[in-house]
Amino acid sequence: KLPFSECLHGVLSGCGAPAGNGTGCPTSFPHALGLGATFNRSLWSKVSSAISTEARALNNQGVAGLAFWAPDINLFRDPRWGRGQEVPGEDPTLTAEYVYHYTRGLQEGIDSRYLKVISTCKHFSAYDLENWNGTDRHHFNAVVSDQDLVEFYWVPFRSCVERAHAQSIMCSYNAVNGIPSCANSLFQNTIVREEWGFDGFIVSDCGAINDIIAKHKYTSTPGDTCHAALLGGCDLNCGGHYGANLENA
């Protein structure tokens, strides 16, 4: 098991022991939409570096882990999404720059031989719907052209891998063109690993492996679902599906 936490704009954890004049609690920085609006690359780096320093301190006290689901680099196409505050904006170029600086600030410390913390770029791919007009994120099938994937949706994720060298990516709940994201070998193996050179691990959003069979009806048995997700490139399952069914894959 690998303990994960969030740090979109500060470590999501309880407080550690106070030291000096400090409270021992993690700092809450402005959310990503506010940070993106500054267009300030050095600020993004300084914020994420401060977050990872606090994460290390809190980890030393057993309060926080060292693997974080951040940044969220989905593109803010429509305000009705409801999670726009989590992302830097709608522009793929700005978001590509944001992930480059934010992820490097999280992962890179004084000694380049070691990761400071693990940054997880999320949610891959074409994810920007929670629940609208009778369709929720667990059932949604995004129909997207190859051009839109390459020129819009994938631009930040390519920067995440090729430039920032993030060690983790999260696959999303939705399907894209009929294939659940966490079972999409073309996206996760051919594109992310072979073309972009990703050398980290891919983790599912929580419950997304079960969604492959229960929501998308893409597979027929729990074992087949594990098989599809593993061959599709998803290494870790947030949830219990792998643990309960992996031996039948």
Side-chain angles (χ1 to χ4, degrees):
K1 292 184 178 181
L2 181 64
F4 280 92
S5 186
E6 303 271 4
C7 68
L8 294 174
H9 62 111
V11 178
L12 179 61
S13 74
C15 297
N21 294 322
T23 64
C25 300
T27 304
S28 180
F29 293 92
H31 225 322
L33 191 60
L35 291 173
T38 68
F39 293 87
N40 190 327
R41 295 175 176 88
S42 60
L43 176 65
W44 304 336
S45 297
K46 290 176 181 177
V47 166
S48 58
S49 181
I51 289 171
S52 57
T53 298
E54 292 187 355
R56 275 284 179 175
L58 291 164
N59 178 262
N60 288 342
Q61 299 183 47
V63 177
L66 292 175
F68 291 89
W69 289 340
D72 185 341
I73 53 173
N74 296 124
L75 298 169
F76 192 16
R77 299 180 63 243
D78 190 318
R80 290 172 294 183
W81 178 27
R83 294 178 66 177
Q85 75 279 2
E86 293 185 20
V87 302
E90 65 179 351
D91 184 77
T93 301
L94 179 142
T95 306
E97 287 298 307
Y98 181 87
V99 66
Y100 171 67
H101 292 277
Y102 199 90
T103 288
R104 289 191 63 191
L106 290 178
Q107 292 194 158
E108 296 178 9
I110 296 174
D111 192 331
S112 61
R113 294 176 299 171
Y114 305 102
L115 291 172
K116 198 175 178 186
V117 302
I118 294 173
S119 171
T120 301
C121 298
K122 63 180 186 178
H123 313 80
F124 190 71
S125 179
Y127 177 81
D128 57 9
L129 182 145
E130 300 302 305
N131 191 348
W132 180 79
N133 200 28
T135 301
D136 64 32
R137 60 185 180 171
H138 302 280
H139 295 84
F140 182 55
N141 175 41
V143 179
V144 188
S145 70
D146 290 346
Q147 181 175 359
D148 283 344
L149 287 171
V150 172
E151 296 181 359
F152 186 73
Y153 291 102
W154 286 353
V155 173
F157 286 95
R158 186 167 187 170
S159 178
C160 158
V161 173
E162 291 187 340
R163 300 174 63 212
H165 305 293
Q167 290 301 294
S168 177
I169 290 175
M170 176 183 284
C171 54
S172 56
Y173 290 119
N174 60 291
V176 179
N177 299 330
I179 303 176
S181 294
C182 293
N184 198 319
S185 181
L186 173 63
F187 288 6
Q188 298 182 145
N189 292 323
T190 304
I191 302 297
V192 172
R193 289 190 165 99
E194 296 177 16
E195 182 176 328
W196 297 348
F198 180 62
D199 61 357
F201 62 88
I202 295 176
V203 59
S204 76
D205 207 337
C206 295
I209 302 301
N210 188 63
D211 282 356
I212 294 172
I213 182 172
K215 309 299 184 182
H216 296 294
K217 311 298 183 184
Y218 187 72
T219 51
S220 56
T221 69
D224 288 343
T225 304
C226 292
H227 184 263
L230 287 169
L231 288 185
C234 184
D235 305 294
L236 296 179
N237 166 211
C238 177
H241 199 93
Y242 275 2
N245 303 289
L246 197 56
E247 63 183 19
N248 298 316

